Amino acid sequence: MKNIDSYTHVRGESLYVDDIITRHDTLYGVVFDASKAHAVITSIDYSKAEALNGVVKIFTHQDIPGENQIGGIIADEPLFAEKEVHFWGQPIALIVAETELIARKARKLIEIAYEELPVIVTAREAKEKASLISPPRTFKMGDADRAFAACDFVYEGETFSNGQEHLYLESQGCYAFPLENGAIKIFSSTQGPTAVQRTTAKVLGVPMHKIEVEVIRLGGGFGGKEDQATPWSVMAGLAVHHLKKPVKFILNRHDDLRMTGKRHPYESSYKIGLNKDLKIVAYEAEFLQNAGAAADLSTAVAERTLFHATNSYFVPNVMATVYSCKTNLPPNTAFRGFGGPQGMFVIESAIAHAAREMQVRRDEIQQANLLNENDEFPYGQIARQVIARPSWTTAKEKFNFEKLREGVVDFNHKNDHFKKGISMMPICFGISFTNTPMNHARALVHIYQDGSVGVSTAAVEMGQGVNTKMLQVAQEVLGISANKVKLETTNTTRVANTSPSAASSTADLNGKAVEMACKSLKSRLSAVAASLLKVDITAISFHGDSVYVNGEKSGTSWEKVVSQAMLERVALSENAHYATPEIHFDKSKEKGHPFAYHVYGTAITTVTIDCIRGTYEVEEVKMAHDFGASINMAVDVGQVEGGLAQGIGWMTMEEISYNKEGRLLSNALSTYKVPDIFSAPKKIETVAVATDGHEHAIKKSKAVGEPPLMYAIGTYFAIQEAVKSFNPNYHLKYDAPFTPEKVLMALYEK
Ligand code: MTE
Ligand code: HPA
Ligand code: MOS
C-alpha cells in the first residue's frame, strides 16, 4: 500500500501548522533571545520596542501565572530567562505584534546589558569543572579490570562525534487560540502533544483540561520535536491566556538553528581487550556527553548510550560510564538513535584500532564477536531471537562481500590518485522507551453509521508513515477496504496522556492499541451479523467489505451489519489501551529487561576518495535489514534509506561549530552542509533478512525508524580504510564527521 500522504504531499496539499487558516484577529510572536552564552542580565529596556506601532505586548517571566519551568525530566529549565542566561539563543521574552515583521523590528529595538560569566563549550571542560546535569551512571558486567590483566592485547584511545542539526523541513511552530472560559487550543508541530499540554498547563497555572493540543502532521521531527517543540507552544499559550486573541508563532530557520538543541556531541574514551582468537574479552568506555545548559532529555539519551555501548557484540566483561556534562550550549536533545549511535561509534572505533594493531581486518573482529542466542547484554537482558549473525551472513553472501573486497584491493593496486575503502557495519538497536513507564498508547476507533471508520491514536505522523500503518492495521482487522478508513489528527481530547511519538515505537504501541480496539468492535459486529444471518458467531468473519460465513461470502455487506448494529443500539466506538508486556528495569542495579525486542542488520559500504582533493563519494551501501514481517515494505525501505542518508550526514559532513563564546557559527545552510543528492550513495540496496518478526512488534513488523541511521557508521570506517591504503603513515583517528578537510590532512599526514 502506498503511503496515504503521498498524493497530497506531491501536490502540495498536505496541511501543516502554517497552513491553518488564521482568524482575522491573529497576532504574531517572535522570541527575543540571549546574545551571550553565560551572563548576568544587568538591564533590559523594552520601551522602544513597546512603543513601535503594531507591537501589542512583550511577555517575560514576570507575566507567568504558574511556574516558569519547562524541564521535562529535571526541573532545571526556565521558559524565559530571569536574571541569568545560560546559552546563546536562550529565550528571554516573547514579542507579540500585529505582524511578524513588526515583531522582528521590535526585537532589534530591545536594549540589553550583560555582565559576562565564564563560558563552557566542551563536555571535557564541563567534567573537569564538575559541571554535571546529574551524577554519572555505569553499566557493569563481569569484571573488566581482572579480564584486561589476562588479555593478549589491550588498546586504549579517544573518540569524538559531533552534534547534528535536525533540519526538519518544517521549522518549529504553533498556532494557539482562545476557546471559552479560559480554555486554549494549540495546534503544535510537536512529537509530544501531551508534553505541550502538560507544560502549558503548568506554566499558566491552569488544569490540563483547559489546554487542548492538536497535531495535524509534522514536516519532520527526527527527535527535535520530542521535547523542544514545547517552549514555543507554551509561549503562544501564555500570550493567548493574557490577550484572549489567537497567536501564531513560527520560528524562522535562523532562529530555529540558533535557539534549539541538537544531537549531543560526545567525547569518549575506550579500552578494549582481546585474545588471539579475536574475541573481545573486556571493554571499558567513558562517555562525556555535551548536554548543553539544561537537562532536556539528556539523561535518557545518556542511558541509551550505555544500552548500546557494545552494539551487536557479546562482551563478557564490560564497564561503561556516562557523564551528562552541563555546558553553555543550547540544551541538546533527542535525535534519531537517541544516544545509541554515539555509543556504537565508540566500540566500532575500538575495533578499528585493535584491527590495525593486530594486523587483521575489522570485519574479522566484528564477526568473531557477534551476539548469539542467549548471550547477556551488559544491562542484564538476555538476547533472544538474535538476528546478528543471520543479518551478517545474509549481507556477506547476498552481496558477495569477498568479491567486493577483492575488487577494492584490486582497484587500489591499480590506482594512485583514487582509493577505495569498504566496511561492514552490524547494528543492534533496542526497541522500547528505555523509561519503562512510557511504553503505552491508546486508540479511539469510531465506526460511523455508514460503515466508514475514523481512527485516532497518540501517534504523530512526521513523515515516517505511521498513519499508513495504523490504517492498514484497522483495515486488516475489520476486513474492510482502505478507503473506508481515515486517520484523524492527533488530539489530546481524543487520546490523552500520551508518550511522544519516538523511540521507533510509535507504530508498535499505537498499532497494538488500534488492533485491540478493532478486535473488540469486530467481535461486537460479529454477534450482530450472526443473529442477522442466523448462524453461530464462530462462523462469522469479515473480508473485503463483506460478511463471510464459514469462509463463504454471504450476500451481507459490512455496511448492512453496521446499520443493523445501529438499530440494535450496539456501541460502534471503542477505546483501547496497550502497554508493552514483560519490560522492566531496575536503575538501582542497572539491570533488567528494558526492551521489547532488538532490531538487527548489517551494512556493507564502499567509498572512493580522491587523494588529491580529499573529496569522496559513497559508491554503494548494501544492507541486510531485519524488518521482521514488514506490513509495508515501501514505507520501511523509505525509512532505511532516509535513516542511512541522515547518518551519512552525521558521519561525514555535518559540522556543528560553536566559537569559544558559545555562539553557533554553523547557523545557516551556507555554513552547515547536509547531504544532498550528490552525497547520497550512488547505489543503495536493501534486502530483508528472512525472519519471523517479533510478537511485540505490530503484526510482527519490526520498528524501523531509528536503527538504519547507524548503518552509516560504516561510512566512517570505509573512508578510513581508503585513507589507510593511500597513506600507510596515517594514524587512525576517530573524529566524526570525517569531512573532506580531515580526509585531506589524513592523506598527507607524516
Ligand atoms: N522519518 C521521517 N520521514 N521523519 C521523521 O521525523 N523521525 C525518526 C524516524 N523516522 C522521522 C522519521 C525518529 S527520530 C523516530 S524515533 C521515528 O521515526 C519515530 O516514528 P516511529 O516510532 O513511528 O518509527
Ligand atoms: N527513546 C526516545 N525518546 C525517548 C526515550 C527513548 O528511549 N526515552 C524518553 N524519550
Ligand atoms: Mo526519535 S530520536 O526517538 O524522536
Side-chain angles (χ1 to χ4, degrees), residues 184-206:
I184 296 172
K185 176 157 182 175
I186 305 174
F187 280 95
S188 173
S189 177
T190 181
Q191 293 174 238
T194 294
V196 170
Q197 182 195 21
R198 187 180 56 230
T199 313
T200 305
K202 179 161 103 176
V203 171
L204 300 189
V206 301

Side-chain angles (χ1 to χ4, degrees), residues 37-148:
H38 194 196
V40 176
I41 300 172
T42 51
S43 72
I44 308 187
D45 184 354
Y46 293 109
S47 57
K48 285 189 188 132
E50 281 165 339
L52 187 70
N53 201 7
V55 171
V56 177
K57 187 167 163 59
I58 299 178
F59 295 95
T60 70
H61 68 93
Q62 287 169 327
D63 300 298
I64 291 175
E67 285 177 59
N68 182 21
Q69 184 51 246
I70 60 167
I73 299 179
I74 300 174
D76 67 348
E77 190 176 358
L79 178 70
F80 291 128
E82 298 186 11
K83 294 194 175 69
E84 280 189 14
V85 295
H86 291 267
F87 65 92
W88 199 300
Q90 182 175 355
I92 298 171
L94 180 76
I95 306 155
V96 176
E98 285 165 10
T99 69
E100 190 185 325
L101 194 65
I102 294 171
R104 288 197 178 280
K105 279 189 184 153
R107 178 160 74 177
K108 292 197 183 123
L109 300 174
I110 297 172
E111 288 165 2
I112 185 163
Y114 300 98
E115 194 180 292
E116 291 186 46
L117 297 168
V119 172
I120 302 178
V121 175
T122 67
R124 189 163 301 282
E125 198 186 341
K127 188 188 170 220
E128 278 158 14
K129 293 185 173 155
S131 170
L132 298 179
I133 295 283
S134 59
R137 282 176 69 181
T138 299
F139 281 13
K140 215 192 254 176
M141 184 164 74
D143 184 342
D145 276 344
R146 229 180 51 203
F148 278 122

Side-chain angles (χ1 to χ4, degrees), residues 191 220-223 335-337 460 462-464 466 501-507 639 646 703-706:
Q191 293 174 238
F222 306 111
F335 195 134
R336 208 170 194 169
V460 168
M462 56 188 117
Q464 87 280 41
V466 70
S501 286
S504 303
S505 302
T506 318
Q639 286 294 296
Q646 197 162 36
V704 72
E706 294 167 285

Side-chain angles (χ1 to χ4, degrees), residues 585-602:
F585 193 72
D586 181 348
K587 280 194 186 182
S588 69
K589 299 193 174 75
E590 304 286 28
K591 297 281 180 197
H593 185 104
F595 298 117
Y597 58 89
H598 290 81
V599 169
Y600 298 85
T602 301

Side-chain angles (χ1 to χ4, degrees), residues 330-357:
N332 286 316
T333 195
F335 195 134
R336 208 170 194 169
F338 207 79
Q342 290 95 322
M344 284 157 61
F345 179 68
V346 179
I347 191 156
E348 293 302 326
S349 298
I351 289 172
H353 183 169
R356 169 131 217 194
E357 297 291 334

Side-chain angles (χ1 to χ4, degrees), residues 30-315:
V30 165
V31 72
F32 170 66
D33 60 305
S35 48
K36 294 283 173 232
H38 194 196
V40 176
I41 300 172
T42 51
S43 72
I44 308 187
D45 184 354
Y46 293 109
S47 57
K48 285 189 188 132
E50 281 165 339
L52 187 70
N53 201 7
V55 171
V56 177
K57 187 167 163 59
I58 299 178
F59 295 95
T60 70
H61 68 93
Q62 287 169 327
D63 300 298
I64 291 175
E67 285 177 59
N68 182 21
Q69 184 51 246
I70 60 167
I73 299 179
I74 300 174
D76 67 348
E77 190 176 358
L79 178 70
F80 291 128
E82 298 186 11
K83 294 194 175 69
E84 280 189 14
V85 295
H86 291 267
F87 65 92
W88 199 300
Q90 182 175 355
I92 298 171
L94 180 76
I95 306 155
V96 176
E98 285 165 10
T99 69
E100 190 185 325
L101 194 65
I102 294 171
R104 288 197 178 280
K105 279 189 184 153
R107 178 160 74 177
K108 292 197 183 123
L109 300 174
I110 297 172
E111 288 165 2
I112 185 163
Y114 300 98
E115 194 180 292
E116 291 186 46
L117 297 168
V119 172
I120 302 178
V121 175
T122 67
R124 189 163 301 282
E125 198 186 341
K127 188 188 170 220
E128 278 158 14
K129 293 185 173 155
S131 170
L132 298 179
I133 295 283
S134 59
R137 282 176 69 181
T138 299
F139 281 13
K140 215 192 254 176
M141 184 164 74
D143 184 342
D145 276 344
R146 229 180 51 203
F148 278 122
C151 283
D152 296 332
F153 307 98
V154 176
Y155 307 105
E156 289 182 68
E158 293 187 349
T159 73
F160 176 73
S161 62
N162 206 337
Q164 184 177 21
E165 165 57 41
H166 302 85
L167 216 87
Y168 23 67
L169 288 184
E170 177 207 28
S171 56
Q172 303 274 2
C174 60
Y175 181 45
F177 51 87
L179 304 172
E180 331 172 295
N181 300 317
I184 296 172
K185 176 157 182 175
I186 305 174
F187 280 95
S188 173
S189 177
T190 181
Q191 293 174 238
T194 294
V196 170
Q197 182 195 21
R198 187 180 56 230
T199 313
T200 305
K202 179 161 103 176
V203 171
L204 300 189
V206 301
M208 279 172 78
H209 71 221
K210 292 275 189 201
I211 310 294
E212 174 184 348
V213 179
E214 179 153 335
V215 184
I216 309 172
R217 61 160 63 69
L218 317 188
F222 306 111
K225 295 172 182 170
E226 180 173 339
D227 247 32
Q228 298 213 355
T230 301
W232 327 111
S233 288
V234 177
M235 287 176 204
L238 177 71
V240 172
H241 178 82
H242 286 286
L243 301 172
K244 311 281 180 247
K245 285 202 172 170
V247 174
K248 185 165 172 171
F249 177 22
I250 294 183
L251 271 61
N252 73 10
R253 186 63 67 181
H254 267 110
D255 286 358
D256 189 311
L257 291 172
R258 183 176 70 254
M259 295 178 201
T260 63
K262 312 186 188 307
R263 184 188 292 285
H264 296 77
Y266 271 61
E267 291 166 76
S268 311
S269 52
Y270 61 82
K271 183 171 171 186
I272 189 167
L274 306 91
N275 280 343
K276 287 199 191 84
D277 62 1
L278 305 186
K279 289 270 190 215
I280 304 171
V281 182
Y283 180 63
E284 207 176 282
E286 185 181 88
F287 302 102
L288 307 188
Q289 176 202 56
N290 190 331
D296 190 275
L297 292 162
S298 295
T299 52
V301 171
E303 177 179 73
R304 195 172 269 279
T305 300
L306 296 182
F307 283 120
H308 292 81
T310 51
N311 189 13
S312 49
Y313 308 111
F314 172 67
V315 184

